[in-house]
Amino acid sequence: MLSLVKYSRSGKLFLAIFLMGISANIYADQFHYNNIIIGDRALGLGGAFGGVADDASGVYYNPAGLGFALSNDISGSANAFYTKKYTYKNTIGNSDYVEKSSGSLPSFFGFLQKMDKVAQGLVWGLGVYATDSELRDQNDVIENTLNINRLHRAQNMRASTFHYSTGVGYRLTSTFSVGFGLSYFAVDELFQDYQDIQQTFTNDTTVGTATCTASCTLLRTQGSREYLVAKGIDTIFGVQWAPISQLSLGLTLKVGKFISQSYENLIEVRDHYLGGQGDSILSPALVDLEYSNPLGSPPLRARLGTSWFASPELLITFDTMYVGEAKSGEFSRYKRESVINFATGMEYYILSSLPIRLGLFTNNDSRPQVEEGKVNQADHIDFVGGTIFFAWVQPNSQVSLGLISQNGSGKAQKIGNSIKTQDIEVTSQTVAFSASHNF
Amino acid sequence: MRSSKFFLFSVSMPLIFVAVFMIQCVTSTDTKDSSKKTSEKSEEKAEEQVARALTAEEEKKVDELRAEMELGRNMAGRLLHFYGVYDNPEVIGYLNTVGRLVASYSDFPDRRYMIAILDSDTVNAFACPGGYILVTMGAVRNAVNEAEIAMVLGHEVAHVGKQHMLNTLKGMSKADLDKAAEEVEKRKDLPEAVLVRQRPDPEENVIGNMLAKYLSGGSGGSFSIIKAASAGMGFILEKGLDHKLEFEADHEGVKYAVRAGYEPKGLLKFLERIEANTPKEKRKILSSTHPRISERVKKIEEVLKMLEADEITGARGKKRFMRYHAMLPDNQGKKSKQLKK
């Protein structure tokens, strides 16, 4: 976005870098599909729940699993506290640039109701859940680093994708169930970024139409606002089959359609010369973009789940998730490649009231790999995550508490218009709890 | 004159004597009657008093026993209906002989125990309240001598005598009992692929239990036999009793059978054989309703150590057991070839 300002002397790389500013490439995450793990038991199983899906979270994982539910269920979960840290290596000279976010999120609430009186094996479920959410208040002040006198950056982001889903599962035979669901989803991402950069030039530098002679100081202020809103409907089809009683296989397909979407992007850059030729204000560079179809269409999503009910005390699950390519609409930034993720989980009852749940999962990036020699590329970060949860089970209810940890690594181009790439490391820790009641 | 006086005397004396005797008799009879009456009255009174006191206690006891019997009969009936019965009077008679022998050395020798065989290949045994003990054919097949089956029966005798099931059901609030019964009824029709998803039944928290009882008003006098029997089936086939009670039954069962003269390691070997030889699907209910075999073995070893089992030479009763064992059909309904050898 800062490419509107042209620099006459590319030799002033360091100067140019900071005049270009820190890239605003931190928009919310439509590019990872496993950011938030949904559900109650599923939370501890790392989201490997497609072959089980017999509680309220079945509306998300596989509505066919509802048909195998043992009882009515009401459940909820929350990411009580999460923290996320992006570390861009060697971004400012040899220094790392760090961005952090933290917050809390009610990630899932749902219930299911058995409807055997209508038809034996018919179950209805309802769920509200978030597949993405991030709140960020970033405030950086960098002083006297390299040629920069002062860099101040204030950034706010609020991003969420919420789903309101309903589904039914129907056990056609004692071992086979089908499911159907509809999910209304709403994406709301607002990103605001303000930077001011003050820098003293030691050599003549031309910026725009003005030339800053030696010893003049340039103050650049830039503000940007991006706002993405989208609403749509996902249609969910699922089947679940138990070839032998202890083994369950589940397949879920999701296809979606946007009802409405819009994207606004407003960028304003102003440069002030202090000293040298005297104070002057350059004409502001202004970008004002509006798209009515930025995202194109939602990708096809498929989940193949396997679960092995080894004994009442032991459950092992494994899911493979495929998300197809999503061609972007008017805005190429939202182009997404197809991606495959895996998740595996284990539930083991140490005592009859105390199960431990462990999970491992991947959360791969659907954005293209960062290539050498290009500029303004989006980050590419692949995550691997783990979960550990302990639950306290009572005859009709249970609560669980645990930790979700994700570590990501990849490449980024944090500086606008620069070909330089950075290694990026991301750590994310979430303390989450869930509760459910059977009736 | 004299003669007339003598006549009068001679006549009058006997009359007087008779009169006095009669008077005495009358007096003495009256005295005896009155003392007898007093004694009878006091005895009656005491008996009445005792009878009243015993009646109140006994009535309660009799009511409880009647309820226990009724509950056990109902549950046993459901199990017989569920599994079917193996109707061989000789084998059933033999098991009853062994079971009653062990029971006579138990802490509850005065109870009556009725043992039947369920027509099932699974390995399990069930103790219903009131003394109804049901052993699966698979369990009898799994044993190799009388000592082993005696220990299994001892385990069930302990459950009955210590009223494990009855107390568990009585300890439930009315609401929980209703719910458990309802759950069992609901789950009756659920297929295996659904039931396999059931997780272990959690141990209820004391505070939570008290609170539930307080909120629901407790079970009180509204203990319904039908509901309790239905809920009891949930314990027997799905949830199992508290593991502590199972360990206690193992402990006591071994003790009773050892007292009856059997080889002390019978139950240990019986359980180890289940683990080694019985396919998982044939011990699924046993696994879901009892503690892990490894845990049971560990606890039994402690009991054996306590009993100094190595010093005891008990009877195995292999010959007699094999005679009856051979009468059992094999999995295909034929008489066991293996044991005929």
Side-chain angles (χ1 to χ4, degrees), chain A residues 41 52 54 68 171 174 240 245 248 312 348-349 352-353 393-396 398, chain B residues 179 187 190-194 196-205 288 292:
Chain A
R41 277 170 94 195
V52 186
D54 56 7
F68 287 96
R171 210 173 56 242
S174 61
Q240 210 173 80
S245 60
S248 171
Y348 181 71
Y349 278 74
S352 59
S353 298
V393 182
Q394 284 293 284
N396 302 316
Q398 68 166 299
Chain B
K179 190 173 179 298
R187 289 178 188 191
L190 288 178
E192 192 60 29
V194 177
V196 78
R197 294 166 185 246
Q198 205 166 313
R199 287 158 276 161
D201 191 53
E203 284 166 21
E204 240 177 295
N205 177 269
S288 63
R292 284 192 200 107

Side-chain angles (χ1 to χ4, degrees), chain A residues 180-200:
Chain A
F180 174 75
L182 285 173
S183 178
Y184 169 80
F185 62 87
V187 179
D188 183 292
E189 297 179 358
L190 176 65
F191 173 81
Q192 295 177 108
D193 181 88
Y194 169 82
Q195 295 181 45
D196 67 66
I197 310 154
Q198 190 174 320
Q199 195 164 359
T200 301

Side-chain angles (χ1 to χ4, degrees), chain B residues 8-129:
Chain B
L8 282 171
F9 176 75
S10 62
V11 171
S12 66
M13 276 309 288
L15 286 174
I16 292 164
F17 179 75
V18 168
V20 168
F21 177 77
M22 284 187 72
I23 289 163
Q24 274 182 341
C25 277
V26 169
T27 312
S28 138
T29 306
D30 281 348
T31 313
K32 277 183 183 174
D33 277 355
S34 77
S35 75
K36 193 181 172 187
K37 276 179 186 169
T38 310
S39 155
E40 279 175 354
K41 273 181 186 172
S42 63
E43 275 175 22
E44 276 171 16
K45 203 176 173 182
E47 277 172 9
E48 275 171 19
Q49 282 171 348
V50 171
R52 267 199 296 276
L54 286 177
T55 301
E57 277 175 25
E58 280 182 353
E59 265 180 13
K60 195 181 168 198
K61 189 75 186 165
V62 166
D63 283 348
E64 280 177 4
L65 285 170
R66 191 177 288 138
E68 185 183 341
M69 294 288 288
E70 205 179 326
L71 174 65
R73 199 162 48 234
N74 196 311
M75 287 173 66
R78 287 165 189 250
L79 280 168
L80 288 167
H81 177 73
F82 185 79
Y83 284 107
V85 64
Y86 172 63
D87 192 15
N88 182 327
E90 282 180 89
V91 185
I92 293 169
Y94 167 65
L95 281 193
N96 275 281
T97 304
V98 176
R100 284 170 192 168
L101 173 70
V102 174
S104 68
Y105 285 91
S106 74
D107 297 337
F108 315 97
D110 299 331
R111 279 182 166 269
R112 197 175 158 214
Y113 300 89
M114 292 138 287
I115 301 164
I117 303 174
L118 297 171
D119 188 9
S120 168
D121 293 331
T122 59
V123 179
N124 215 338
F126 308 98
C128 302

Side-chain angles (χ1 to χ4, degrees), chain A residues 189-439:
Chain A
E189 297 179 358
L190 176 65
F191 173 81
Q192 295 177 108
D193 181 88
Y194 169 82
Q195 295 181 45
D196 67 66
I197 310 154
Q198 190 174 320
Q199 195 164 359
T200 301
F201 290 80
T202 52
N203 295 305
D204 295 352
T205 304
T206 303
V207 180
T209 54
T211 299
C212 179
T213 55
S215 300
C216 88
T217 299
L218 178 70
L219 174 66
R220 163 167 293 176
T221 60
Q222 58 185 53
S224 67
R225 176 183 182 273
E226 291 180 77
Y227 189 35
L228 174 71
V229 180
K231 292 177 176 117
I233 300 277
D234 274 335
T235 309
I236 309 156
F237 303 95
V239 291
Q240 210 173 80
W241 176 49
I244 56 170
S245 60
Q246 286 178 303
L247 180 71
S248 171
L249 305 172
L251 178 66
T252 317
L253 288 176
K254 289 185 189 178
V255 288
K257 189 166 178 59
F258 286 113
I259 301 166
S260 67
Q261 52 176 310
S262 68
Y263 173 82
E264 297 166 17
N265 189 358
L266 182 68
I267 306 166
E268 190 173 5
V269 182
R270 286 174 187 271
D271 290 331
H272 305 254
Y273 287 94
L274 310 172
Q277 295 173 326
D279 290 356
S280 64
I281 298 174
L282 298 179
S283 300
L286 188 68
V287 175
D288 189 359
L289 298 173
E290 280 188 19
Y291 297 120
S292 60
N293 180 28
L295 293 167
S297 55
L300 170 78
R301 285 143 286 169
R303 176 186 289 267
L304 179 64
T306 308
S307 57
W308 180 45
F309 300 92
S311 71
E313 289 85 16
L314 178 65
L315 165 69
I316 293 171
T317 61
F318 184 83
D319 278 20
T320 305
M321 295 145 281
Y322 167 82
V323 183
E325 184 186 356
K327 286 178 183 165
S328 62
E330 296 165 294
F331 197 16
S332 63
R333 195 173 77 179
Y334 287 111
K335 181 180 186 308
R336 285 161 283 175
E337 297 179 338
S338 62
V339 65
I340 293 179
N341 283 308
F342 302 98
T344 184
M346 185 192 81
E347 176 184 69
Y348 181 71
Y349 278 74
I350 303 166
L351 300 170
S352 59
S353 298
L354 182 69
I356 180 174
R357 297 186 187 118
L358 301 169
L360 278 175
F361 61 93
T362 64
N363 187 14
N364 292 323
D365 206 324
S366 62
R367 290 171 293 193
Q369 295 282 353
V370 174
E371 294 175 22
E372 297 295 329
K374 292 186 175 176
V375 295
N376 298 328
Q377 299 176 83
D379 300 350
H380 183 95
I381 310 161
D382 291 329
F383 290 90
V384 175
T387 60
I388 178 167
F389 277 76
F390 289 92
W392 183 56
V393 182
Q394 284 293 284
N396 302 316
S397 57
Q398 68 166 299
V399 289
S400 65
L401 178 70
L403 183 72
I404 304 166
S405 178
Q406 285 197 57
N407 286 300
S409 61
K411 289 277 186 189
Q413 266 187 333
K414 194 61 188 162
I415 308 300
N417 277 355
S418 165
I419 59 166
K420 191 184 175 193
T421 60
Q422 295 84 38
D423 288 328
I424 178 170
E425 287 177 3
V426 186
T427 56
S428 164
Q429 314 297 336
T430 302
V431 177
F433 66 87
S434 69
S436 68
H437 177 73
N438 305 319
F439 57 97

Side-chain angles (χ1 to χ4, degrees), chain B residues 113-117 125-128 131-135 153 156-157 160:
Chain B
Y113 300 89
M114 292 138 287
I115 301 164
I117 303 174
F126 308 98
C128 302
Y132 297 92
I133 294 173
L134 303 167
V135 187
L153 293 171
E156 304 307 330
V157 164
V160 172

